[in-house]
Amino acid sequence: MFPFPKFLAGCGISALAIAAFGAVASPAHAQSSDAEPAAETSTPSAEDIIVTATRRAPAGGTTRPVDAGSYALTNDDWSDVLSGTSALALVKNLPGVTFTSTDAYGLDLSDGFLLVRGFRQNELAITFEGIPLGDGSYGSVTGTAPLNIGVAGDIAAIRISPGSASVSSFSNTVNGGEMRYSIADPKPRFGLDLTQGFGSNNTFVTSATLNTGQIGEAGPRLLFGVERIAKDKYTGAGSQYMLRANAKLVQDLPWGDVTAFFSFARAEIWGYNNTSFDMLAKLGWNGTDIFYPDYARAVFIASPANASRSCGAYTCGALASLVPYDTGQATDDFVGNITHHFDLSDRLSGSVMGYAAISKSNIEIANVSTPSQTGAPFSAQVWRTRPQRFGGTIDLTWKGDRHTISAGVWVERVSSTSRFASYNEPLPGQGAPLSAIGPYDVYGPAFQIANDSRWTTKSFQLYLRDVFKPTDTLTIDAGFKAVDFSTNGGGIGPDQAPNGRLATSDPFLPRLAIDWRPDARSSLYLDIAKTAVGYRVSSRGNIGPVSSAWAADSQALFDAALPTLKPEKDWNFTVGGYRRFGPVSINIDAYYGIILNRLLNGTSGPQFNPVRTVGIVPRSELIGADAIIDLKPFAWLDISQSVSVSKLRYQSDLILAGEATPLKGHFQPGYPGVSLVTQIAVKHGRFDAGATSTLYLDDPFTYTNDIYVPDYWQVNAHASYRLPKTGRVPELVFRLDVNNALNRNNIGSVGIGGYSVAGDYQTFMRSAPRQFLFSINAKI
């Protein structure tokens, strides 16, 4: 078959731009219905940094930066995602951003991957309602995943800077850019918003948001939201369930306001099995998933007596090590803060915030390397993590005629534990097998504890910033931050998982951003910043993608690596511009990054018992460019095409325990070198339809780039119709979404269990086949 998508991509366009497939997506630059229209001549100021539903920067969507390389997105900019989708997916249409997941909603923490100009989600500065999230990756012991915070439908705005984070962004993980999520402010009048969706694989999406309106003459305004997603897996057996709830309070005061935010999320996810290319070739596209619910077959295949017998393409012993009986996760996340904004004078204002975040995570996989004491040939291995984070921030801002000077401090303390516990499974006929989402102690307490670890992480950041406007068209944003991050701890069990202390300290990390807007149609900007991050924390045996010194396979490897380890420090440079020519606008940028002392884990071994070495690549370089062209030939039609080209190349070899692994000249794995996003939108009266085509090319699979991931091409489409309120009947919106409309077999997230230096490895997952969702929304 002729590779039509590749041919079109080679011509620099997406297939959707030629074929105008199906229905079409909302305009990438549009504002939400709650937003005030943006005046194109306005120039953003320092106080526009935090974006909420009522305090919003002039919107440019994905087509125009609102200041030096920073974009203000509203819910129209993610109109092509399914209701209830992971918060990480909401920025996927911005040039330079890639997002993949195994299920269409991104509910599984292990396989929802976001990269922004080569930096993964745990390498960005991400905040939610001002709360620093830290390392929000799979199995994290120092952060909270954006997926597990807030009701997706209540997210009103996202401020994203792909190049670098502001010095006023508090984070101990940021190598590159930043993302700031904002929940909608409670409305002054009562309102109720209800959505019910029905979709493929018995999917039910239910959400409700209640605005109380102002209580009394001078009382608070409150918003309550809840969202429930329940569905079956699209292949194999098992279900996926997510419950999110949030509340937000705003109390206006004569001198400012007080806001409070709380979020809870509960996930019960039966997972998909990690896959390798060899498994895909021998077992077929739908043949690599877990054995559940066929317990008798799983026991037969995993029994030592059958190890050398043929089980199809593999011997039973080999198949048992590749395909577990089950895998899944059960997580609970609590996040909350209280913030006081105050005005001390006409020119001097500030804010103070305190927050807490507590997570409980149980990640399970059937482990054939550790038989149960009952005689069953495998046990349930449960990776149990318990991070508790407490912190606070203080900011002060002085506004002069031409200068806006701000300063602030952030402190945070994290206490975290991690361990791997093995629980007994029964022999067939002696009871029901354990559930992947628990409970796990049905047949007694854990009979084996491994990699028992405990850490304390302390973070401190101070910043000073001046936003200077020498003219009405020129803004110079200059400042610096000082950081001190330290982690102490590690293994506390008899098996001696690595234990030690690592720290990062730097008193001067500068940033300079220059934004020039000579007229309403044009802008040019420059962004330069230096960053330093704390050492990432994860235990030995972790089955996630986090590279951590504590993940080394032994104390000896950890100790041998210590003399070579240095804190990672990066420089990021971006230059870009925007120009509008009547119905056509062009936004383009180019960027360059210097990455020093990147810590990597080389991974081998089975997914339930990986072997990791630890070392650094002294120098790497990131180079890329983004361009997006937006065309509005008619008032009802909007077409945009973006192209992103980016490569992170290792300029040094990987140093592992004193030995060099030849990585020099190779590219970072798991990051597409080329991405093309096409969006077409039609809005006419009450009808709204759209489609988005996403194409990822040139994606290395290993550190030495000896294998590449097949090209990824996905088309999402939607159409909706609105009925206005009549009498007692509320406003109704009927909507149909189609995810992966072409039903392509795409390989989605890569590096779920880490990356091998070379050769095939069981570390990727497939993306969902075509999925439908029909929903009805009512506003009361």
Side-chain angles (χ1 to χ4, degrees), residues 66 98 109 163 229 253 310 335 359 410 530 536 544 626 668 685 691:
V66 292
T98 62
L109 269 175
I229 306 171
L253 300 170
S310 174
V335 177
S359 300
W410 169 53
K530 183 183 180 184
R536 306 188 200 283
D626 304 317
Q668 171 180 279

Side-chain angles (χ1 to χ4, degrees), residues 147-150 242-245 263-267 331-334:
L147 164 65
N148 291 345
I149 307 178
M242 172 71 78
L243 176 67
R244 303 185 184 105
S263 171
F264 166 75
R266 169 70 176 176
T331 62
D332 293 285
D333 290 89
F334 305 83

Side-chain angles (χ1 to χ4, degrees), residues 35-73:
E36 293 293 328
E40 198 168 5
T41 57
S42 61
T43 303
S45 60
E47 59 268 28
D48 287 324
I49 292 299
I50 298 295
V51 184
T52 69
T54 56
R55 305 182 193 98
R56 180 172 297 160
T62 60
T63 60
R64 183 181 188 181
V66 292
D67 59 18
S70 182
Y71 297 81
L73 309 185

Side-chain angles (χ1 to χ4, degrees), residues 561-592:
L562 280 181
T564 67
L565 298 184
K566 298 178 181 178
E568 180 172 337
K569 298 184 179 182
D570 303 340
W571 280 96
N572 295 299
F573 306 85
T574 304
V575 60
Y578 168 89
R579 177 68 179 176
R580 182 166 63 84
F581 306 90
V584 179
S585 67
I586 300 175
N587 183 32
I588 189 168
D589 62 56
Y591 54 90
Y592 174 71

Side-chain angles (χ1 to χ4, degrees), residues 291-578:
F291 290 129
Y292 173 81
D294 196 342
Y295 188 66
R297 179 174 179 237
V299 169
F300 175 86
I301 291 173
S303 296
N306 300 324
S308 59
R309 296 183 60 166
S310 174
C311 280
Y314 296 97
T315 64
C316 290
L319 185 62
S321 68
L322 296 173
V323 181
Y325 166 66
D326 65 2
T327 183
Q329 57 193 269
T331 62
D332 293 285
D333 290 89
F334 305 83
V335 177
N337 72 344
I338 183 167
T339 306
H340 179 33
H341 303 276
F342 52 85
D343 297 321
L344 298 175
S345 69
D346 291 340
R347 292 183 177 268
L348 184 61
S349 62
S351 67
V352 58
M353 177 187 71
Y355 67 89
I358 299 173
S359 300
K360 298 179 181 179
S361 178
N362 294 306
I363 299 170
E364 187 270 354
I365 187 169
N367 181 5
V368 296
S369 70
T370 306
S372 295
Q373 293 178 328
T374 60
F378 52 80
S379 60
Q381 175 185 279
V382 180
W383 181 18
R384 178 180 181 268
T385 61
R386 300 289 188 269
Q388 298 184 16
R389 302 189 297 124
F390 300 91
T393 66
I394 300 175
D395 294 89
L396 289 173
T397 300
W398 179 82
K399 291 185 64 174
D401 295 333
R402 291 290 181 179
H403 292 268
T404 300
I405 300 173
S406 58
V409 174
W410 169 53
V411 293
E412 182 185 80
R413 178 185 175 93
V414 185
S415 299
S416 53
T417 61
S418 173
R419 71 177 190 178
F420 288 76
S422 297
Y423 293 89
N424 284 312
E425 292 275 16
L427 284 169
Q430 296 185 358
L434 301 180
S435 167
I437 57 176
Y440 308 108
D441 57 357
V442 176
Y443 301 100
F447 65 86
Q448 177 178 290
I449 301 295
N451 304 322
D452 198 4
S453 303
R454 182 175 297 152
W455 299 271
T456 299
T457 299
K458 299 178 181 179
S459 299
F460 172 84
Q461 178 178 326
L462 177 149
Y463 79 88
L464 180 63
R465 178 185 180 194
D466 181 14
V467 179
F468 174 45
K469 291 186 65 62
T471 69
D472 291 340
T473 62
L474 181 64
T475 303
I476 301 174
D477 184 348
F480 77 94
K481 61 183 177 181
V483 301
D484 185 47
F485 310 132
S486 65
T487 298
N488 186 54
I492 57 174
D495 56 344
Q496 296 183 340
N499 190 302
R501 183 181 186 275
L502 291 170
T504 299
S505 181
D506 196 309
F508 186 70
L509 297 169
R511 179 177 184 261
L512 173 66
I514 301 174
D515 189 52
W516 180 49
R517 304 198 169 209
D519 55 57
R521 296 171 176 261
S522 309
S523 64
L524 292 172
Y525 66 87
L526 172 70
D527 182 15
I528 304 171
K530 183 183 180 184
T531 65
V533 299
Y535 285 91
R536 306 188 200 283
V537 185
S538 191
S539 70
R540 182 176 64 184
N542 81 75
I543 51 179
V546 177
S547 291
S548 170
W550 288 275
D553 199 46
S554 67
Q555 183 72 45
L557 283 174
F558 179 88
D559 292 339
L562 280 181
T564 67
L565 298 184
K566 298 178 181 178
E568 180 172 337
K569 298 184 179 182
D570 303 340
W571 280 96
N572 295 299
F573 306 85
T574 304
V575 60
Y578 168 89

Side-chain angles (χ1 to χ4, degrees), residues 71-95:
Y71 297 81
L73 309 185
T74 63
N75 49 15
D76 277 347
D77 296 304
W78 54 80
S79 63
D80 63 320
V81 301
L82 303 176
S83 297
T85 297
S86 165
L88 289 173
L90 305 184
V91 299
K92 67 182 181 63
N93 295 328
L94 188 69

